[in-house]
């Protein structure tokens, strides 16, 4: 599937062939023959067979097999049972492998060992002379073992010398330049998985499986996972991974695919280093298709185990989250992940998630996605303050279930910002940055709070940091920051070039009209967001529609729960010459602690109203709002209430 394939294994000169019953297993080629025919079987069942052959006649405990075949992974017994079941099926005899109840498995037939490629077996580096006595199978195995021991002793001696040499070299490096004992893992992108089968009912797993991997890796210290929304457009199986990595500003990518084979779901994952054109890690697991909870456990184990090791992750934060405990609830959660965020599918997602958390109230990720969908419905689906309150409650529930997760803290901080609780929001955003200064999401959130407080230049600086940490990733809110700073070209860099969301359409119109690119803005058309009819009026003004039509549209402009949106609408009304309505809307934005200063001084949309005396009064209120934010944002919170010991900006 991947465009970068693993390096081929080197051809080894010899290995063992195991003969048992009518079967033969070549451990060099990792090939199983039954009745002289090669059978098609995945790697894990063959690894189980190999371990049973090494201890033929003995009972091998389940725990030992799990550790040997799935080293470092938390794998349930069902995976081992599935592997044994596949083995028995291809061997054609259920009695070859005996189950020892509650203990393990035993190979109960006689097994013999021989050397493969006997013509290449050497003595002291030379071929056996012609006419020499032929070695018996067990003798060959013993001689091979003796040879391996001699090679091992030489290897140990060589390795010791090499390590001493390397140690001396590292000592010189430490003395000259200093040496970092640990290297932080770089950012990683997780692409959509591919359904390589014909069962389209499983298509929701294309986005659900990467989300599960991301959930697990999010607990890794100092690892940045690119937003899945940014990675979602790389869903074509033939995608050039090097190109995707360049555009996502990463050098490591996680990919995967799945297929329904009978009653089993076969899942393959791999990690790719695009700089070195090689696969860092690759593994396949099989789980019963009707057991999504087992699938989740397998993915979490793989992600936290070998995948984490391949990505250079050395440490995870203390785990507090509870895994999913209800199969129906988990399926509903996964299906919600595949739905778009436009109003209609977003409401369907809310329905799925409400049912999911009712069935399994202890699964934190479901509460987290429900909080995001409630927020989207509140702001862009007409849900209003009541639904935003539900978003709060869902985020608080997620935080209670998983106190170490930064997601709900960030979401609640954003909510407080839009409610005008700027000082508390600023301190929470600042704490997130202090905890994870390498995370671009935290800097993006801090820039959001700073912009609401009127500290536009500082907000722009945080957006610059975001770009340094994650170049070429769309961070839409930063377009507002640079627009208010008067840097319109830079603002357009943050608007999605394909205008794939209704929000990006709205903001492209904002920036283009301020640049004087009127016809480009008109061609976009009004965004389809409930209660945002102000854009219809704005574009009607850009088209120079009759004044009567403009007044009619202006009468339908509604206030929004987000004070920043009210600032936008005030600009629209001012642009259209609706002075009184514009000043009322601007005043409302400042009352709700969207400070608007110094943005209003640079915004060309307010050129027509600056000479109005009322504008001067509103501007003074904006200055006071900004000054109050700057003066109080560093003050500590009271222990009793968890709120800052400052007064909010007086209402106008």
């Amino acid at each position: 599937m991947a465009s970068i394939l693993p390096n081929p294994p080197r051809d080894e000169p010899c290995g063992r062939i195991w003969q048992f019953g009518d079967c033969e297993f070549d451990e060099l080629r990792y090939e199983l023959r039954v009745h002289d025919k090669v059978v098609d079987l995945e790697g894990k069942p063959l690894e189980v067979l190999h371990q049973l052959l090494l201890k033929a006649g003995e009972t091998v405990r389940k725990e030992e097999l799990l550790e040997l075949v799935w080293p470092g992974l938390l794998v349930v017994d069902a995976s081992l049972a599935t592997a044994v079941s596949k083995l028995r099926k291809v061997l054609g005899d259920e009695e070859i492998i005996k189950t020892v109840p509650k203990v393990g498995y035993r190979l109960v037939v006689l097994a013999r060992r021989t050397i493969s490629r006997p013509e290449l077996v050497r003595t002291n580096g030379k071929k056996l002379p012609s006419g020499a006595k032929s070695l018996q199978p067990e003798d060959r195995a013993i001689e091979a073992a003796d040879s391996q021991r001699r090679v091992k002793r030489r290897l140990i001696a060589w390795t010791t010398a090499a390590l001493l040499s390397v140690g001396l070299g590292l000592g010189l490096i430490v003395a000259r330049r200093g040496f970092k004992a640990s290297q932080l893992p770089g950012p990683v992108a997780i692409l959509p998985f591919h359904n390589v089968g014909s069962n389209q009912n499983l298509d929701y797993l294309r986005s659900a499986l990467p989300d599960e991997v991301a959930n697990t890796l999010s607990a890794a210290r100092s690892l940045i996972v690119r937003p899945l929304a940014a990675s979602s457009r790389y869903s074509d199986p033939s995608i050039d991974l090097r190109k995707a990595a360049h555009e996502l500003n990463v050098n490591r990518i996680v990919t995967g695919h799945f297929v329904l084979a009978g009653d089993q779901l076969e899942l393959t994952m791999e990690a790719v280093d695009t700089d070195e054109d090689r696969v860092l890690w690759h593994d396949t697991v099989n789980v019963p298709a009707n057991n999504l909870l087992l699938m989740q456990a397998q993915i979490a184990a793989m992600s936290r185990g070998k995948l984490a090791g391949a990505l250079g992750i050395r440490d995870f934060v203390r785990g507090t989250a509870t895994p999913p405990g209800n199969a129906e609830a988990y399926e509903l959660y996964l299906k919600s992940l595949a739905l778009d965020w436009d109003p209609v599918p977003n409401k369907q997602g809310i329905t799925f998630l409400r049912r999911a958390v009712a069935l399994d109230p202890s699964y934190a990720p479901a509460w987290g996605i429900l909080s995001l969908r409630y927020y989207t419905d509140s702001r862009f689906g007409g849900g209003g303050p009541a639904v935003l309150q539900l978003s709060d409650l869902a985020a608080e529930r997620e935080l209670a279930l998983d106190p170490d997760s930064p997601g709900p803290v960030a979401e609640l901080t954003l909510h407080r910002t839009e409610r005008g609780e700027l000082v508390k929001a600023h301190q929470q955003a600042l704490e997130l940055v202090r905890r994870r200064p390498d995370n671009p999401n935290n800097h993006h959130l801090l820039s959001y709070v700073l912009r609401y407080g009127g500290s536009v230049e500082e907000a722009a600086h945080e957006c610059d940091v975001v770009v340094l940490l994650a170049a070429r990733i769309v961070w839409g809110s930063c377009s507002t920051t640079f627009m208010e700073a008067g840097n319109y070209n830079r603002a357009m860099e943050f608007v999605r070039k394909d205008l794939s969301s209704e929000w990006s359409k709205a903001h492209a119109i904002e920036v283009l009209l301020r640049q004087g690119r009127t016809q480009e803005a008109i061609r976009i058309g009004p965004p389809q967001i409930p209660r945002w009819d102000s854009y219809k009026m704005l574009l009607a003004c850009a088209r120079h529609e009759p004044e009567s039509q403009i007044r009619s549209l202006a009468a339908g402009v509604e206030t929004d729960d987000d004070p920043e949106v009210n600032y936008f609408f005030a600009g629209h009304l001012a642009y259209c010459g609706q002075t009184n309505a514009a000043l009322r809307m601007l005043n409302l934005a400042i009352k709700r602690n969207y400070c608007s200063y110094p943005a209003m001084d640079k915004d060309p949309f307010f050129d027509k109203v600056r000479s109005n005396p009322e504008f001067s009064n509103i501007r003074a209120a904006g200055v006071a709002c900004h000054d109050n934010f700057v003066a109080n944002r560093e003050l500590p919170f009271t222990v009793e209430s968890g709120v800052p010991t400052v007064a909010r900006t007086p209402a106008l």
Side-chain angles (χ1 to χ4, degrees), residues 183-186 188 213 216-225 252 303-317:
Q183 297 293 327
L184 297 178
V188 61
V213 176
T216 302
L217 295 182
S218 66
R221 297 186 188 276
S222 301
L223 177 73
I224 301 301
V225 179
R252 293 167 308 160
S303 302
R304 200 176 181 96
K306 288 187 176 180
L307 174 57
L311 296 176
I313 299 169
R314 301 185 179 184
D315 193 17
F316 284 84
V317 298

Side-chain angles (χ1 to χ4, degrees), residues 247-423:
E247 293 175 352
L248 291 168
N249 195 32
V250 299
N251 62 4
R252 293 167 308 160
I253 282 179
V254 176
T255 67
H257 63 268
F258 58 92
V259 61
L260 183 64
D263 61 350
Q264 295 288 308
L265 183 68
E266 183 177 285
L267 169 65
T268 298
M269 289 170 52
E270 63 184 3
V272 179
D273 186 318
T274 55
D275 283 350
E276 299 183 8
D277 287 359
R278 67 188 181 97
V279 172
L280 299 170
W281 167 81
H282 175 102
D283 202 0
T284 298
V285 295
N286 290 269
V287 296
N290 61 353
N291 194 335
L292 291 177
L293 296 183
L294 176 58
M295 181 197 72
Q296 187 274 338
Q298 289 278 24
I299 295 175
M302 292 168 70
S303 302
R304 200 176 181 96
K306 288 187 176 180
L307 174 57
L311 296 176
I313 299 169
R314 301 185 179 184
D315 193 17
F316 284 84
V317 298
R318 177 175 56 89
T320 57
T322 302
N326 181 284
E328 181 184 352
Y330 185 60
E331 183 176 12
L332 288 167
Y333 163 75
L334 294 180
K335 288 183 175 180
S336 77
L337 298 175
L339 297 172
D340 290 336
W341 293 82
D342 287 334
V344 173
N346 186 61
K347 289 183 184 296
Q348 184 182 5
I350 290 173
T351 300
F352 284 175
L353 290 163
R354 284 172 61 92
R355 176 63 178 160
V357 297
L359 292 169
D360 186 1
S362 64
Y363 188 50
W367 287 104
I369 299 299
L370 180 58
S371 176
L372 295 178
R373 288 202 176 274
Y374 272 144
Y375 174 84
T376 302
D377 187 55
S378 169
R379 292 297 188 227
F380 309 112
V387 177
L388 184 62
Q389 183 65 33
L390 294 176
S391 180
D392 284 344
L393 295 173
E396 289 166 0
R397 179 62 173 162
E398 181 192 15
L399 186 60
L401 292 168
D402 189 6
D404 294 316
S405 174
V409 177
E411 185 65 20
L412 290 168
T413 301
L414 185 144
H415 295 186
R416 290 190 176 99
T417 303
E418 295 179 356
R419 288 190 174 108
E421 301 171 19
L422 299 183
V423 173

Side-chain angles (χ1 to χ4, degrees), residues 51-66:
Q51 296 302 325
L52 294 176
L53 286 167
L54 289 171
K55 295 188 176 182
E58 302 178 23
T59 297
V60 187
R61 299 183 64 84
K62 291 180 181 180
E63 295 81 5
E64 184 178 354
L65 285 170
L66 289 171

Side-chain angles (χ1 to χ4, degrees), residues 139 184 207 252 255 312 337 415 418 427 446 568 610 614 652:
D139 296 331
L184 297 178
S207 55
R252 293 167 308 160
T255 67
L337 298 175
H415 295 186
E418 295 179 356
Q427 294 196 356
L446 180 57
F568 292 159
R610 284 200 179 90
E614 183 60 22
L652 298 178

Side-chain angles (χ1 to χ4, degrees), residues 73-146:
L73 295 179
L74 178 62
V75 181
V76 295
D77 289 352
S79 297
L80 178 58
T82 299
V84 172
S85 175
K86 291 184 177 182
L87 266 176
R88 287 170 172 161
K89 185 175 181 180
V90 299
L91 293 175
D93 187 347
E94 293 284 333
E95 300 303 320
I96 291 179
I97 300 175
K98 178 178 177 59
T99 299
V100 182
K102 298 184 179 180
V103 180
Y105 299 93
R106 181 170 73 243
L107 194 73
V108 296
V109 296
L110 181 66
R112 301 176 69 245
R113 302 181 288 184
T114 61
I115 294 293
S116 64
R117 304 188 186 181
E119 74 279 1
L120 295 181
V121 176
R122 300 169 183 263
T123 303
N124 296 327
K126 297 180 180 180
K127 287 186 179 181
L128 289 173
S130 176
K133 181 180 178 181
S134 176
L135 297 176
Q136 295 300 315
E138 287 296 328
D139 296 331
R140 289 198 183 102
I142 293 170
E143 177 159 329
D146 290 339

Side-chain angles (χ1 to χ4, degrees), residues 463-482:
C463 286
D464 287 334
V465 174
V466 168
V467 173
L468 290 174
L469 293 172
R472 294 179 291 277
I473 300 297
V474 175
W475 303 93
S477 180
C478 284
S479 63
T480 303
T481 298
F482 284 105

